[in-house]
Structure formats: structure tokens, C-alpha cells
Amino acid sequence: MDKSLGKLTKGTLIALSGILFGIAISIVLKILTTNINLITILFYRFLFSLPLLIGFALFACGSQFYLVRDKLVMFLRVVFGISGLVFWILAIKALSLGLATALFHSSVLFVSFLAPIFLNERTTVFRFLASLTGFFGVFLITNPLSDNFSISVIFGVCSAICGACLSVSLRKLGKSDHPATVALIYNLFGTVAVGLVIIAKPTLLVKPSHEVFSLLVILGILVSITQVLLTNAYYFLDAIIVSCLGYLRVPFAALTAFILFSETLSKVEILGATVIVVSSCMILFQSSKQNTI
């Protein structure tokens, strides 16, 4: 009983820390998308995340740091991870940071359907309704009926779908493989995949300026830390809970975008952000209540 609550608390703190680092990553990506192309960002993002991940994997797993038990799910994690990342960067480039973040976190609705099927996770009526409430908040903050609605939101929707599939695969891997190994293998394959694209067409890799190069190094460090945190979160929490907690990134990202990029939210969008936060708290409260019964 107490052990279950402690596991929930630890997982929540890890997930929230990952969310804060995720917001920092979004800010860096927003700046980078105005200076260099997608392939260059992807290559350095994967490459510069490897040193810390290798060190962490060696520390945590020793000589077996590279061993993966569930190879099929690991492959799916790589595919969904890279695909989701591409759509996420495209969404950040085309849309405001707050809107792109809101669209990405609509993935919780898809997780609500996928988790019971592929993970045998129990989805209560309360949790499902809270997820739908969060999705309604995303609808409000996206404001698709307004004149400013952009077809580029498809990038955000695709990133959400990939994110939902990623959540499921990470949860399954959390039951069979060490989080450090999962994070390392994913970024290693990402580096190789983008590297092969560059070998096929070298002009896609742009030489960054000193300032941009520094941001790329920072991006790699932030990514490696976030990968470890969020992968560990799936070890302690159900996929649906991690996804719902991720909703908190929406109002935080919107506030950050307002401060740094002068991106403003309408009253309807602010209402949507509020709904999202409330739905996240409902999910967490209900899960905590179940674990103390």
C-alpha cells in the first residue's frame, strides 16, 4: 500500500522533471528552426546526446549496457520516436510553441485506447472521462474554428499519434529492459539513420555558426537528461498517467512562449490550458486514491 504510493510519487517527480527539461528543449528547438534545417538539427541532436547516455548506461548496466531483450518493441520505439520527433520539430517551426505543444499532448486520447489493448492497463471510467476532458482543453487551446487555423496542425496531430505509440512501447520496454539502455539504443540508431541520409545527400548537413553550434550542444545535453528521466517514469507509472502529466507542459510552454517569443493566448486558449491542468490533476488524484485503498 505505502510502497505503491511511494512508487507513484517517485514516478510523478521524475516525470515532472522530464517535463521541465522538455520545455527547455522546445525553446532551443524553436530558436534552431529559424537558423538551420531539419536534418542538421536531427543529426546533432542525436549525436550530442550520446556521450552522457553512454556514460549513464555503463554506470547503470556495466558491460551489458547495450543488451536489449525485447528487440521488436525496441525497433518500434526507434521508429515511433524518430517519426514523432520529425513531426514535432516541423510543428514547432510552423506553429506557435504553445499550440504545437498542445497538439502533441493530445496523444493521451490515443493512449487511452491503446494502453488497455497492448498493455492490459485498466482504464476506469473516471480516468477515461478525465482524458476526454483534457482533449477538450486541447481543442479549445487549438481553436480550430478560428480564422488563424493553419493546415500545419497536421504535423502536431501526427506527432501526437506517434507519441501515443511511443508511450505504449516505452511502457512495455520498462518491464523488460533498463531505461538507460533503451535511451542509448534509440539515440544511437537515430544518429546512424540520419547519418545515412546525410551520406546519401551531403548538402543536407549545414555547417552551423558558433552560436548555433553551442545551442546544438546544449540541445544534446538536455535531450540525454530528458530521455533518462522520462524513460524511468514509464518504469514507475502507467503510460496513461505519464501522458496526462505531460499535459502540464502545455500551459508552461504557452507562458514561456509569451515571455521569450511574445506569443500570446486568447481567452479561449487560456481556458483550454486551465482545463488541461485540471484534467491532469484529476488523473493523478484518482491514481493516488486507488493506490492507497
Side-chain angles (χ1 to χ4, degrees):
M1 193 160 58
D2 292 336
K3 186 177 180 180
S4 298
L5 182 59
K7 189 175 182 180
L8 175 65
T9 302
K10 187 174 182 178
T12 300
L13 291 175
I14 292 174
L16 290 176
S17 299
I19 289 169
L20 292 177
F21 277 98
I23 293 174
I25 290 173
S26 300
I27 295 171
V28 175
L29 283 174
K30 185 71 173 178
I31 298 172
L32 287 173
T33 53
T34 62
N35 293 281
I36 51 178
N37 62 30
L38 174 65
I39 294 298
T40 302
I41 293 175
L42 287 174
F43 179 70
Y44 286 112
R45 172 243 180 264
F46 283 120
L47 181 64
F48 289 148
S49 67
L50 290 178
L52 284 179
L53 290 176
I54 292 173
F56 180 73
L58 284 170
F59 175 78
C61 306
S63 60
Q64 296 184 329
F65 72 97
Y66 60 90
L67 295 180
V68 176
R69 294 182 179 86
D70 199 333
K71 295 179 175 57
L72 175 59
V73 178
M74 185 68 232
F75 172 76
L76 294 175
R77 187 265 182 269
V78 171
V79 172
F80 291 129
I82 295 177
S83 300
L85 178 59
V86 169
F87 286 124
W88 170 235
I89 294 176
L90 291 174
I92 288 180
K93 183 176 182 178
L95 307 170
S96 68
L97 184 59
L99 178 55
T101 305
L103 285 170
F104 175 76
H105 285 290
S106 64
S107 62
V108 70
L109 182 63
F110 302 102
V111 174
S112 298
F113 291 106
L114 294 175
I117 298 173
F118 295 101
L119 300 175
N120 295 319
E121 292 183 2
R122 185 166 61 90
T123 300
T124 64
V125 174
F126 182 90
R127 182 183 291 185
F128 182 73
L129 291 176
S131 299
L132 289 180
T133 302
F135 185 72
F136 177 68
V138 171
F139 176 84
L140 290 176
I141 202 171
T142 302
N143 202 7
L145 302 179
S146 71
D147 295 333
N148 296 324
F149 182 75
S150 171
I151 193 64
S152 297
V153 297
I154 192 171
F155 295 137
V157 174
C158 288
S159 71
I161 295 173
C162 291
C165 295
L166 178 62
S167 294
V168 173
S169 63
L170 283 173
R171 180 59 176 168
K172 288 185 73 69
L173 285 171
K175 298 177 180 180
S176 62
D177 294 282
H178 197 282
T181 300
V182 172
L184 173 60
I185 297 300
Y186 164 62
N187 285 277
L188 181 60
F189 270 86
T191 304
V192 173
V194 179
L196 291 174
V197 173
I198 293 171
I199 291 174
K201 193 171 183 180
T203 55
L204 290 175
L205 184 63
V206 178
K207 183 179 180 181
S209 65
H210 292 297
E211 292 77 11
V212 172
F213 186 80
S214 297
L215 284 175
L216 289 168
V217 173
I218 292 173
L219 176 64
I221 295 173
L222 291 174
V223 165
S224 60
I225 295 174
T226 305
Q227 289 278 313
V228 173
L229 288 173
L230 292 184
T231 305
N232 271 282
Y234 284 99
Y235 174 79
F236 293 101
L237 302 174
D238 289 347
I240 185 66
I241 300 177
V242 177
S243 297
C244 287
L245 284 173
Y247 269 148
L248 297 175
R249 188 187 296 183
V250 178
F252 292 157
L255 178 61
T256 302
F258 172 74
I259 296 173
L260 298 180
F261 307 114
S262 299
E263 296 177 356
T264 57
L265 293 177
S266 66
K267 292 181 179 179
V268 174
E269 291 169 336
I270 293 175
L271 175 61
T274 303
V275 171
I276 288 169
V277 173
V278 171
S279 68
S280 299
C281 293
M282 289 168 62
I283 292 288
L284 186 60
F285 174 77
Q286 203 261 346
S287 300
S288 175
K289 185 177 180 180
Q290 285 182 337
N291 284 317
T292 54
I293 293 176

